[in-house]
Amino acid sequence: MAAGMGFMGTAQAEPTEITFWHAMGGRLGEVVDEMTAEFNASQSDVKLTSIYKGGYEDTMTAGIAAFRAGEHPHIIQVFDAGAATIINAPGAVYPVADLLKEHGVGFDVEAYIPGVRYFYADSDGKMIGMPFNSSTPLLYFNKEALAKAGVEAPKTWEDFEAIAPKLVEAGYVPLSQSHSPWIFSENFHSRHNLQMATANNGFDSTDVDILYNNEHLKGHWAKVKGWLDKGWYGYYGRGWGENQDAFVQGKTAMWLGSSGSFGGLRKSAEFDFGTTYLPYWQSIIEEPKGTFIGGAALFAFSGHDDDEYKAVAKFFEYMTKPETQFFWHKETGYVPITTGAYDLAKKAGYYNEAPDAEVGILQLSQPGGEWTKGYRLGYYVQIREVMYKNYEQLLNGEASVDEAFQAIESESNELLDRFHDTYN
Amino acid sequence: MKRVQFERSPIPYLFLLPQIGIIFVFFLWPALQAVYQSFLLEDAFGLSSQFVWFRNYEDMVLDRDWVRSAVFTLVFSAIVAFGSLGVALLLAVKANEAIHGATTYKTLLIWAYAVAPAVAGLIGHVLFNPLVGDLHFLLNGLGWDFDRGTDGLDAAFMVSLIAIWKQVSVNFIFFLAGLQSIPKSVQEAAVLDCRSPEKRFWTITFPLLAPTTFFLLVINITYAFFETFGIIDVTTRGGPGGATNTLVYKVYKDGFLGADLGGSSAQSVVLLLMVLALTVFQFRFVERKVHY
């Protein structure tokens, strides 16, 4: 073999092999495979292998186990709630801003659209993870249902309360929602420019307390409970899918979900639907702020050779190219993460053909505020569990709003204390 | 009893070594690791750790969720074990009586054994789905305002039902085999002595089944503790409001999903001790009532 290679001369050096573990299944996984193949075909120095490792949590667990065994991949996809775990572990990752600068690719934070710049960054704004699949909560509405009730999609929650009885009269449950921690807690705070945790939403320190037990969020949930009792809000369990299905089957007129669901919904819904911004309470804020991203980012694990990091940098460069991002955006519905890609999509006329695909980016590009950059909270996976649990108890009447939020506060703070003690 | 002395040879011990090695590597060593880990606060990637003595255990017992899931696990295990044993015993007795078409009947009952817990969970998930589930509609049609998504008791009812259904077939096989091994002569003699079939069953048949029942009790409790994981993961994920969170599921959620290795280890050590205590209890006290 080696002798055979000799004929080709030194110019045909072996490509540097790097691996990438991701959590993109189904159609999303196919798109990742297409991008991997295209990247490998586009150059000969790097050979990338993409491996699907299951859901977000499975992928992270696999990455942690591999890291502990010293067999970790070069790149791993980690989701929003797991970001604190990987970023706070001393020296587990090579910050992407440094990696790109030190390997000749260059890095400019301004190239990214506002909503994605700082979510995976440290407190100084240095990007640690490369935003990859970024989505944001949107309101989907069934045009037929709204027409039947003779109403417009709501801009504010006050609007919603005005139109809900009409939708009920037209035979619909007005609203369902998937992932209440994400939409009805985290993004609720950024939409209204409210602080959700001390220490700069947790970016500055792990010594942090949660601020969810505030009158605005409590007021919102008191309303939600009221809506549920009046038949204005349908809760079909904590599963993402069930609440979405209620919308797809025409049971609910509107659904709060992810901009990343757009592509899938276009295939599954047999009616004409539209998207609009996440509603806000006008009583809390006159001009709503943008939302921040959900989804996941790519992290480069530490402990590899310089050559390999050079290869990783090359791949990241490819991933952020406008053409690549536009392709990803179009195929999946996730938002393009750079302004270059967004401009390309606009120039290509994509939004004339699918105007609803632009709503997510427009919402992320709305003016930001002090508290719209995201959050960095440890054991946040468990904190989301705490929220799910208490919201369910609130909705089924086991707990009052005050009791539920007191429990959320105390249980979350215990978890945050544990995290602080563990990582310091 | 008279003891026979053989010359001691190391060879039998040598033959045991591979087995002991396997037990050590795959059972004892990980278990000891878990015990060690339960005294640590360590970041997920293992880059820094500190020894904190019993902090993880303290946090665990102070955690309302843990207490709640411990209580749920005990109640749930009792319901699942006795429920599936009872149903299986009834079916086995009936199958044992039926002469015609017994093979078809038995095959149909045994079929469910081939279903993996996660698949059973998936079937239940669909049957109880609020939008398409037939059982959901049926229960609501009967006037029960059934909603597994928001009502904790309904969700607990659902997972118990699925867990029982899944386990009935295994118990059925064992009970049927046990019933068939009871000599015909004993039963015939009983018929002469006692006319009431119920009384005959409880005084003659059931005591003869006691060894099988005891074995199944141990198996079923272990099943309810550990193997119902798949059902819960697919149907409720511990919800709503933590109402169906078993201890094993909590260990998984905190350790695998949440990356809290110390806390999760402490929970699994306690879980191990609980199962150990239950097993000792069963062998010490329940087994006394069993005659082989």
Side-chain angles (χ1 to χ4, degrees), chain A residues 148 203 349:
Chain A
K148 213 167 138 192
F203 277 107

Side-chain angles (χ1 to χ4, degrees), chain A residues 47-124:
Chain A
K47 185 174 177 302
L48 174 82
T49 312
S50 302
I51 300 169
Y52 171 62
K53 280 282 173 184
Y56 283 142
E57 284 107 344
D58 298 322
T59 304
M60 186 151 167
T61 310
I64 288 168
F67 189 89
R68 295 181 77 109
E71 303 277 337
H72 47 288
H74 299 80
I75 305 162
I76 186 165
Q77 183 184 14
V78 173
F79 66 133
D80 50 4
T85 302
I86 190 161
I87 292 176
N88 284 307
V93 291
Y94 191 165
V96 69
D98 295 344
L99 188 149
L100 291 177
K101 268 183 219 152
E102 284 158 23
H103 292 88
V105 173
F107 176 80
D108 176 19
V109 77
E110 299 291 323
Y112 297 82
I113 64 169
V116 308
R117 272 175 208 165
Y118 300 109
F119 194 97
Y120 296 102
D122 66 12
S123 61
D124 301 326

